[in-house]
Amino acid sequence: SQQGEEDPQALSIQEGENATMNCSYKTSINNLQWYRQNSGRGLVHLILIRSNEREKHSGRLRVTLDTSKKSSSLLITASRAADTASYFCATAFHTGANSKLTFGKGITLSVRP
Amino acid sequence: DVKVTQSSRYLVKRTGEKVFLECVQDMDHENMFWYRQDPGLGLRLIYFSYDVKMKEKGDIPEGYSVSREKKERFSLILESASTNQTSMYLCASKRDRGQPQHFGDGTRLSIL
């Protein structure tokens, strides 16, 4: 399976600290995506990084991708209480005209005020 | 912004009932997806559709069917609901294969 596996499963930090979440996968990918899910809501797309990219930024978010190690990390800098959510990595593999997205089980991030 | 709307946030049905979950997107996306989300199991793909009247099985299609008669609407059908189908159901859409998916807020379905 090429399912992404996130690490750690749960993370608790103080407001203002940085949060680093990791994702590993097993097979070749075309891109890797990170999503956030607030309790009881749907997933919200954060960042997509393509297999030929190594790093991408969006506001306080920084994503890295190391295809040789089959791993990615999501860094949230200067965390806020509002960042409390579950975070999922998802790996995309293109097959013909379609693309299969496989999600990991998620990381629960708690940011203490 | 893309809007994906699921018809119900919460739904309670009885075993054996035929259940319809509706999903509508407003961005003319080709691709639509149905997932279920369970604690400890993450998101699992049930069915997806890449065009009107087209459907493909995902990883766990048993006990489900889908309908896509119009581009904007993708329906998930539980033919005869069972208690093990109690779950959070999430609908998503996207334009093409290199793009991220946009999710609805989910339907929390309880089968009694």
Side-chain angles (χ1 to χ4, degrees), chain B residues 3-4 23-33 49-54 67-75 91-96:
Chain B
K3 187 135 179 79
V4 179
C23 175
V24 176
Q25 50 94 3
D26 66 356
M27 284 301 288
D28 202 37
H29 283 172
E30 306 290 338
N31 302 278
M32 296 188 75
F33 306 83
S49 168
Y50 52 88
D51 203 350
V52 175
K53 296 193 187 294
M54 306 303 287
S67 172
R68 188 140 182 231
E69 296 297 317
K70 292 185 178 181
K71 193 174 187 179
E72 67 271 18
R73 186 179 296 269
F74 192 33
S75 303
C91 175
S93 74
K94 70 173 184 179
R95 184 168 303 283
D96 59 42

Side-chain angles (χ1 to χ4, degrees), chain A residues 14-33:
Chain A
Q14 199 74 35
E15 203 164 29
E17 292 180 340
N18 295 342
T20 300
M21 292 169 269
N22 302 300
C23 172
S24 61
Y25 57 92
K26 295 192 173 93
T27 61
S28 296
I29 61 170
N30 292 97
N31 66 64
L32 186 144
Q33 303 171 32

Side-chain angles (χ1 to χ4, degrees), chain A residues 3 31 33 35 37 40-45 48 50 88 92 94-101 103-105, chain B residues 9 31 33 35 37 40-43 45 48 50 59 88 90 94 97-106 108:
Chain A
Q3 183 181 38
N31 66 64
Q33 303 171 32
Y35 289 80
Q37 184 180 34
R41 306 299 294 269
L43 278 71
V44 174
H45 170 72
L48 182 153
R50 294 186 165 78
F88 295 85
H94 299 332
T95 54
N98 296 315
S99 176
K100 182 169 182 184
L101 197 62
F103 287 84
K105 292 183 172 58
Chain B
R9 290 294 307 278
N31 302 278
F33 306 83
Y35 296 88
Q37 184 178 24
L41 296 177
L43 272 77
L45 181 64
F48 67 98
Y50 52 88
D59 299 318
M88 172 75 137
L90 292 162
K94 70 173 184 179
R97 68 178 195 174
Q99 299 299 312
Q101 294 186 13
H102 300 267
F103 283 81
D105 272 339
R108 190 165 292 281

Side-chain angles (χ1 to χ4, degrees), chain A residues 62-75:
Chain A
R62 187 190 114 190
V63 168
T64 61
L65 178 64
D66 186 336
T67 52
S68 67
K69 294 181 179 177
K70 292 187 169 57
S71 68
S72 173
S73 68
L74 170 66
L75 169 68

